[in-house]
Amino acid sequence: GEIPASCAKCHSTPGAVSFLTSGSVGAVSPGTTVECAVCHTDPASGTLRAHTSVTFPSGAVVENLGPEAICMECHQGRASKSSVDSTIAGAGVADDDIVSPAIRFINIHYYAAAANQFGTVVKGGYEYNGKTYDARFSHITGYNACNTCHDPHTLHIREELCSTCHTFTDPKDLRFYGSFMDYDGDGNMTEGVYYELEGLKNKLYQTMQRYGRDVTGYPIVYDSHTYPYFFNDTNNNGQADENEVNYGNSYTYFTARLIRAAYNYQVAQKDPAAYAHGGKYMIELMYDSIEDLNSALPDPVNITVMHRGDEGHFDGS
């Protein structure tokens, strides 16, 4: 019956309208869904609400937007690189591989498509110091915003528009022009970027599990549907068993190095269309997370066959 103020901006019509008109959600909102009035000042005439700039969790502001600005207010996530850095700094650990109970998992939240599309401009992922990252994944003119690729009412992808330039049965099979590398190291350089990213996510998860076992001494498992997502692998079988996936068994043995990787893993998991919104940016985050964990492993994962970017001007980072 009620939506807490911390959730109301994206999970209730009164909260969203209050934020878009005054910049503040205010108090607890009545329980609603997100209805027509969020995007339309006058749903009957179709008049769109004037809202052209968005402030992301990192503090970065993106301006001069169209109607997609409203979509981006909720599809930006609720954390960023600075969130992770602040947690690590607050723990006061002297070494990246010291377990600290003060380092708890940080969740970007669901469907942060806008953060992925804008890449390093808004720093939704954990970007490692000394590395450079792709900026906004810009599509062609006229097909570069949430509400041009997605039907704004059904949210379905407008595949009939994609077929003007792309030939495909499934969007997951698409590969960006200029993606000439085998990013996940499986030997396949023609598979869709979706599958390259899936391969890298799997490698990152394996590396995290190896780190938990060999560095912290506390094996870790992940379950995408249960908060807080990371749990103790009590029987060390590498699987998230039913009796392990519960809040009382939450993983509390994070190090600075592990929380950086865990955050990026969640960033990739919680945007199922990351391959389309910002695939190159996500590939960089996965690769760098594996590389960083590897630096502490006695038996590192082989990344010599993986690739972080492309050659020449196709390397957007």
Side-chain angles (χ1 to χ4, degrees):
E2 293 181 339
I3 309 294
S6 60
C7 306
K9 170 188 166 186
C10 299
H11 291 283
S12 80
T13 294
V17 171
S18 175
F19 180 85
L20 292 169
T21 55
S22 70
S24 173
V25 169
V28 171
S29 297
T32 68
T33 58
V34 175
E35 298 160 336
C36 308
V38 172
C39 298
H40 298 276
T41 55
D42 181 1
S45 68
T47 305
L48 287 169
R49 193 172 296 284
H51 186 66
T52 59
S53 68
V54 177
T55 301
F56 283 76
S58 64
V61 179
V62 178
E63 299 179 314
N64 301 315
L65 296 165
E68 71 271 19
I70 297 175
C71 313
M72 290 164 56
E73 284 292 357
C74 294
H75 291 278
Q76 59 174 250
R78 299 187 66 178
S80 66
K81 170 181 168 58
S82 59
S83 309
V84 181
D85 281 337
S86 294
T87 293
I88 293 170
V93 290
D95 186 283
D96 276 356
D97 300 303
I98 294 176
V99 171
S100 171
I103 301 177
R104 305 303 294 265
F105 176 63
I106 301 157
N107 184 24
I108 190 171
H109 209 55
Y110 302 99
Y111 304 135
N116 292 338
Q117 188 192 29
F118 277 84
T120 194
V121 175
V122 301
K123 293 182 169 28
Y126 188 85
E127 300 180 6
Y128 288 83
N129 295 335
K131 299 280 190 175
T132 53
Y133 294 85
D134 269 54
R136 182 181 187 182
F137 175 54
S138 296
H139 216 144
I140 62 173
T141 302
Y143 299 89
N144 203 31
C146 319
N147 55 304
T148 52
C149 292
H150 294 269
D151 182 288
H153 296 110
T154 67
L155 307 183
H156 293 160
I157 300 171
R158 292 168 158 173
E159 292 190 10
E160 72 281 2
L161 301 181
C162 308
S163 62
T164 303
C165 298
H166 299 287
T167 301
F168 63 93
T169 302
D170 186 331
K172 293 177 181 178
D173 295 325
L174 292 174
R175 194 174 179 96
F176 305 152
Y177 183 70
S179 298
F180 300 134
M181 294 295 182
D182 177 16
Y183 305 101
D184 63 358
D186 67 355
N188 188 342
M189 291 190 288
T190 60
E191 63 186 352
V193 169
Y194 168 86
Y195 297 103
E196 294 280 9
L197 187 50
E198 285 297 296
L200 279 168
K201 285 196 293 185
N202 290 336
K203 290 286 177 62
L204 174 55
Y205 185 46
Q206 294 167 16
T207 311
M208 290 168 58
Q209 290 192 301
R210 192 175 295 189
Y211 181 92
R213 183 192 67 214
D214 298 342
V215 178
T216 71
Y218 297 96
I220 186 172
V221 288
Y222 176 85
D223 182 84
S224 62
H225 300 298
T226 310
Y227 182 84
Y229 309 104
F230 290 98
F231 303 93
N232 295 297
D233 185 8
T234 54
N235 59 8
N236 197 20
N237 69 351
Q239 305 296 319
D241 299 316
E242 186 177 354
N243 65 321
E244 294 172 335
V245 180
N246 61 80
Y247 188 82
N249 191 45
S250 302
Y251 194 81
T252 57
Y253 303 104
F254 285 106
T255 65
R257 197 181 308 279
L258 184 55
I259 198 63
R260 295 192 291 249
Y263 176 80
N264 276 345
Y265 185 74
Q266 180 79 337
V267 168
Q269 287 282 62
K270 291 305 175 184
D271 183 5
Y275 67 98
H277 297 139
K280 293 287 187 74
Y281 180 66
M282 198 60 61
I283 284 168
E284 291 153 6
L285 295 178
M286 296 298 98
Y287 183 97
D288 291 348
S289 298
I290 296 169
E291 184 180 56
D292 187 50
L293 289 171
N294 260 354
S295 67
L297 288 177
D299 180 24
V301 171
N302 180 20
I303 62 172
T304 60
V305 292
M306 303 178 199
H307 291 87
R308 181 184 191 273
D310 301 286
E311 294 182 350
H313 66 269
F314 291 116
D315 183 2
S317 67

